Amino acid sequence: MVDKKLSGAGLRGQSAGETKLCTVGKSGSGLTYCGYDVSDLADNATFEEVAYLLFNGELPSQAQLAAYKTELTAQRDLPDALKAVLKLIPADAHPMDVMRTGCSFLGNLEPEVDFTQQNKAANRLLAAFPAIMCYWYRYSHDGVDIDCTTDEDSLGGHFLKLLHGKTPSEMHRKVMDVSLILYAEHEFNASTFTARVCASTLSDMYSCVTGAIGTLRGPLHGGANEAAMDMIQKFSSPADAKVQMALMLARKEKIMGFGHAIYSESDPRNVIIKTWSEKLAHEQGDTSLYDISVACEEFMWDTKKLFCNADFFHASAYYFMGIPTKLFTPIFVCSRLTGWAAHVMEQRSNNRIIRPSADYVGSEPRKVVPISQR
Ligand SMILES: CC(=O)SCCNC(=O)CCNC(=O)[C@H](O)C(C)(C)COP(=O)(O)OP(=O)(O)OC[C@H]1O[C@@H](n2cnc3c(N)ncnc32)[C@H](O)[C@@H]1OP(=O)(O)O
Ligand SMILES: O=C([O-])CC(=O)C(=O)O
């Protein structure tokens, strides 16, 4: 086997197509959606505006946003047949498997019959994902058959109310909204590339998204926010974090929530969610988990020059809002659905089946020896 880095393993550094949707790490850092800096969007737009931007290429006017939100709000409830399926999934199932099944099953009930329905299918999934996650969670964990509609205006607020059964604070609504914006789109990351490969065969939207969910599930990708949470909860103090992490590195373990395939200097989403994590820590009057997280960040930079990616401070931020760890990656799904669907639409608009080649490193040509002689 040749050296992974020299051989271009993981297609690193190779262009696999064009996109108008996003730039990532152009100068070591930096993230833009359709030309807008992500920090500008996080400060001055809502997640629904970002979803509209990714699907339409432009930010909405006031009237367009109002119409879009009305459309989304009307589609939040789930069909009874889907609720019945979600009720069958046990409490110890992984919620990403629930999301995958929920997406796939909805595709059976409301198929995307042809590509003129692509926006309809994408918006339906966007509106329904919080309920798919929370309906299953509340039924399997609390035995409650929740109402899948709420009076919350934003998707983030809607999710929090479904989960906690009470009206979220203004600050929690804002943090959810920012989080959904930060996770919305990221060029040809592994899950989006999965969706584009699937789209390139002219498959349907639900298949593209179902495949992408499976790819996001892994701890080297979206699953890192859960893995980071599991790790920081094991540390008793900032000093302990540094000792434990040194031991992990000595054992050649990966530290989840650090490093990135594209950014070389920093992940611009980190500073934004870190700021909110700190505010949430102060709001709830216990900064110990935030302090431990900061110690992890300092240690990884000092010892390995590795920086936090988007996932690391999302862990503590979600924790401070009372979100169970196992739902962290499904929230990523609720957001990244917008990027996936936008890429599916872009792929379809100028399609050629994605089919790279492989360098063959197997046996020389040989003949089949009859089974009795092997
Ligand atoms: C939203 C997202 O999906 S962001 C990514 C979320 N994933 C994680 O946080 C998982 C932890 N991080 C990682 O596994 C990696 O950094 C990835 C998967 C994100 C990127 O992988 P790659 O592009 O292959 O990493 P890269 O080639 O830059 O690694 C360089 C070196 O740093 C090491 N390294 C990279 N990240 C880490 C880490 N988190 N912990 C310890 N070592 C690391 C690699 O093992 C490699 O070491 P080596 O030269 O001795 O082999
Ligand atoms: O781009 C990547 O490889 C991973 C990532 O940060 C994301 O998908 O948000």
Side-chain angles (χ1 to χ4, degrees):
M1 285 279 167
V2 276
D3 183 284
K4 266 193 284 185
K5 282 176 192 151
L6 296 178
S7 70
L11 302 177
R12 196 74 76 261
Q14 298 174 37
S15 172
E18 295 183 337
T19 183
K20 290 180 181 165
L21 293 165
C22 181
T23 66
V24 175
K26 277 249 176 260
S27 51
S29 184
L31 170 61
T32 65
Y33 300 168
C34 303
Y36 295 100
D37 194 278
V38 74
S39 59
D40 193 8
L41 292 168
D43 284 347
N44 299 306
T46 61
F47 175 60
E48 284 78 2
E49 288 172 79
V50 169
Y52 187 99
L53 171 70
L54 292 170
F55 292 165
N56 300 284
E58 297 296 337
L59 284 168
S61 66
Q62 194 72 260
Q64 286 167 329
L65 180 63
Y68 186 47
K69 285 173 80 164
T70 303
E71 182 188 340
L72 290 178
T73 307
Q75 300 185 73
R76 286 175 173 176
D77 206 355
L78 305 181
D80 288 342
L82 176 51
K83 288 182 184 168
V85 166
L86 293 171
K87 279 180 175 169
L88 292 173
I89 304 179
D92 62 358
H94 194 290
M96 285 297 277
D97 299 345
V98 178
M99 299 303 276
R100 196 187 58 212
T101 298
C103 175
S104 179
F105 194 72
L106 195 61
N108 285 290
L109 300 177
E110 302 171 9
E112 183 197 23
V113 175
D114 59 51
F115 293 171
T116 63
Q117 298 186 340
Q118 63 182 7
N119 285 76
K120 186 173 159 228
N123 287 325
R124 174 62 163 140
L125 283 170
L126 183 60
F129 268 153
I132 289 176
M133 177 180 14
C134 294
Y135 185 82
W136 165 78
Y137 185 82
R138 296 292 309 281
Y139 186 81
S140 61
H141 289 68
D142 306 332
V144 185
D145 195 334
I146 59 166
D147 179 355
C148 291
T149 62
T150 70
D151 55 0
E152 284 291 317
D153 184 54
S154 68
L155 207 94
H158 170 60
F159 158 70
L160 288 171
K161 189 157 186 181
L162 288 179
L163 178 65
H164 296 311
K166 60 176 198 253
T167 301
S169 71
E170 209 38 67
M171 179 151 153
H172 289 195
R173 276 198 198 105
K174 175 66 185 168
V175 181
M176 273 316 297
D177 200 59
V178 168
S179 166
L180 294 172
I181 291 173
L182 297 182
Y183 272 146
E185 162 55 7
H186 222 243
E187 198 221 37
F188 279 17
N189 62 84
S191 55
T192 302
F193 197 60
T194 301
R196 279 193 87 127
V197 171
C198 188
S200 82
T201 71
L202 303 183
S203 189
D204 71 299
M205 181 68 80
Y206 292 91
S207 298
C208 298
V209 174
T210 302
I213 293 171
T215 306
L216 190 71
R217 186 189 195 286
L220 295 190
H221 192 11
N225 55 15
E226 292 181 29
M229 187 68 221
D230 292 340
M231 181 183 76
I232 56 178
Q233 276 186 312
K234 290 190 189 123
F235 302 151
S236 58
S237 66
D240 181 51
K242 294 188 180 188
V243 172
Q244 299 294 338
M245 287 176 96
L247 293 172
M248 290 172 77
L249 290 180
R251 292 193 298 265
K252 301 244 172 287
E253 288 174 28
K254 280 268 172 80
I255 311 288
M256 296 303 163
F258 286 87
H260 202 273
I262 303 295
Y263 297 121
S264 55
E265 287 173 9
S266 65
D267 182 333
R269 300 166 294 185
N270 177 52
V271 65
I272 302 172
I273 196 64
K274 181 183 172 188
T275 305
W276 283 109
S277 173
E278 185 177 13
K279 286 183 187 162
L280 288 165
H282 285 290
E283 182 213 35
Q284 60 140 29
D286 178 0
T287 62
S288 51
L289 204 75
Y290 176 78
D291 298 338
I292 286 171
S293 303
V294 171
C296 296
E297 183 179 35
E298 284 169 4
F299 176 81
M300 286 299 277
W301 183 252
D302 292 345
T303 54
K304 295 273 289 181
K305 290 285 166 280
L306 283 171
F307 50 82
C308 297
N309 57 48
D311 283 329
F312 190 69
F313 276 93
H314 259 106
S316 49
Y318 286 166
Y319 174 83
F320 294 140
M321 290 191 288
I323 299 171
T325 306
K326 56 177 14 187
L327 296 187
F328 290 4
T329 318
I331 300 173
F332 198 157
V333 171
C334 295
S335 163
R336 185 56 59 87
L337 176 271
T338 55
W340 292 334
H343 276 275
V344 168
M345 294 174 197
E346 190 177 57
Q347 181 67 35
R348 286 172 173 179
S349 70
N350 186 22
N351 187 55
R352 188 178 192 198
I353 191 165
I354 297 173
R355 199 314 187 182
S357 306
D359 296 322
Y360 181 67
V361 294
S363 304
E364 292 300 316
R366 48 188 174 160
K367 290 276 181 216
V368 174
V369 176
I371 196 162
S372 57
Q373 296 168 29
R374 270 180 249 154

